[in-house]
């Protein structure tokens, strides 16, 4: 991928390693070691070719990377992947709700990072054209417009609520969707605390879509945060 990447990371070894790995992939990497560095790069990058994706560490010497989420989002559609050593659930949820596209907990592999970057960029592309309505992964085929779900050669019959939940996950396929986002989309804003609805309906969906519902390959739990519609072949 030829991409302009803003890399905000104060750990020099990690920054160097990521910069080299991404450069090898053909990316143009703008490395920043602090919030101030990142802001300077963002101010300059805008004049020529804009930053196309940002990788954002949270613990920085002059503050938290979280404070860049707003300004980065002002460039419409710039995906942000948070890279963090901190893994409290509330923090992850807050970041996603604040507009981060995804997060990776250190340590992570370059392969994992590249896969997440591809998903985030695919979403930017598709979200700007139109919403994702068709999804194929492994033996699953989902057509949201036609309200049709197939597993292998068989049609799968879903209740309207099960279908709404699945359709919301398809819209963000490959990315984590918080419990709050799912509850709001399916049951409405007044039900965002009713996480037991989700557990119940996710169990039903898994029973219909997964070969082994106890060890799901498609409807993956992000513990304490939410769910991700995964492609087992990714
Ligand atoms: Ca750090």
């Amino acid at each position: 991928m030829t991409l302009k990447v803003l890399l905000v990371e104060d750990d020099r070894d990690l920054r160097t390693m990521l910069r080299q790995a991404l450069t090898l992939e053909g990316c143009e990497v703008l490395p920043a070691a602090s919030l101030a560095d990142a802001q300077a790069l963002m101010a300059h990058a805008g004049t020529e070719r804009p930053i196309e994706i940002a990788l954002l560490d949270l613990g920085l010497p002059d503050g938290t990377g979280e404070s860049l989420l707003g300004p980065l989002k002002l460039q419409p559609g710039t995906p942000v992947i948070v890279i963090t050593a901190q893994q409290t659930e509330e923090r992850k949820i807050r970041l996603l709700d604040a507009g981060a596209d995804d997060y990776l907990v250190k340590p992570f592999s370059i392969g994992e990072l590249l896969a997440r970057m591809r998903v985030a960029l695919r979403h930017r592309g598709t979200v700007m054209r139109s919403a994702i309505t068709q999804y194929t992964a492994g033996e699953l085929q989902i057509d949201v417009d036609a309200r049709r779900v197939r597993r292998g050669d068989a049609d799968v019959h879903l209740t309207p609520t099960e279908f709404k939940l699945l359709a919301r996950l398809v819209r963000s396929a490959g990315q984590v969707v918080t419990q709050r986002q799912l509850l709001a989309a399916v049951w409405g804003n007044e039900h965002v605390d009713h996480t037991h609805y989700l557990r119940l309906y996710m169990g039903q969906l898994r029973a219909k879509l997964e070969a082994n519902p106890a060890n799901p390959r498609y409807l993956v739990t992000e513990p304490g945060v939410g769910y991700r519609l995964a492609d087992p072949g990714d």
Side-chain angles (χ1 to χ4, degrees):
M1 39 181 142
T2 316
L3 270 180
K4 195 161 182 176
V5 182
L6 175 65
L7 168 64
V8 189
E9 170 60 66
D10 64 325
D11 179 321
R12 210 174 83 186
D13 292 344
L14 182 57
R15 191 172 65 242
T16 304
M17 190 271 280
L18 290 174
R19 185 186 187 176
Q20 286 170 348
L22 291 169
T23 304
L24 275 176
E25 293 293 319
C27 299
E28 178 190 349
V29 182
L30 307 179
S34 64
L35 285 179
D37 280 5
Q39 275 154 348
L41 286 169
M42 284 159 66
H44 285 96
T47 54
E48 307 160 26
R49 200 172 127 221
I51 291 162
E52 293 171 277
I53 189 165
L55 308 177
L56 185 59
D57 179 30
L58 292 182
L60 295 166
D62 51 351
T64 168
E66 206 171 335
S67 59
L68 289 179
L69 276 176
L72 278 172
K73 283 300 181 184
L74 287 181
Q75 283 180 328
T78 306
V80 180
I81 298 178
V82 170
I83 49 179
T84 176
Q86 302 157 354
Q87 34 184 325
T88 73
E89 288 154 4
E90 305 91 273
R91 194 88 195 271
K92 288 180 192 166
I93 293 166
R94 204 167 73 222
L95 290 164
L96 293 164
D97 284 340
D101 291 77
D102 212 334
Y103 59 83
L104 277 168
V105 176
K106 296 173 193 172
F108 52 82
S109 70
I110 292 296
E112 219 175 334
L113 173 64
L114 292 172
R116 295 292 174 81
M117 286 171 69
R118 275 193 292 272
V119 169
L121 289 162
R122 195 155 69 216
H123 275 273
R124 180 185 58 167
T126 44
V127 167
M128 287 173 81
R129 283 197 299 274
S130 63
I132 296 176
T133 56
Q134 299 207 356
Y135 181 78
T136 305
E139 56 174 2
L140 275 195
Q141 289 175 52
I142 302 164
D143 184 333
V144 173
D145 289 338
R147 298 187 72 87
R148 187 169 177 168
V149 180
R150 289 175 71 80
R151 187 179 146 209
D153 294 329
D155 279 320
V156 179
H157 298 282
L158 300 181
T159 68
T161 301
E162 290 166 357
F163 186 83
K164 256 172 119 172
L165 179 56
L166 184 63
R168 178 60 188 85
L169 287 165
V170 167
R171 191 145 73 79
S172 299
Q175 295 183 316
V176 61
V177 187
T178 65
Q179 294 182 348
R180 204 179 174 83
Q181 289 167 336
L182 288 169
L183 286 159
V186 179
W187 287 277
N189 283 325
E190 63 278 26
H191 296 290
V192 292
D193 295 321
H194 295 178
T195 53
H196 59 283
Y197 291 2
L198 269 184
R199 281 194 297 276
L200 176 70
Y201 280 89
M202 198 58 68
Q204 292 175 194
L205 271 182
R206 281 175 174 156
K208 293 181 180 181
L209 300 180
E210 299 279 357
N212 179 3
N215 185 18
R217 297 162 71 226
Y218 303 108
L219 299 162
V220 177
T221 301
E222 293 281 332
V225 177
Y227 298 90
R228 187 190 297 272
L229 181 60
D231 183 342
D234 255 1

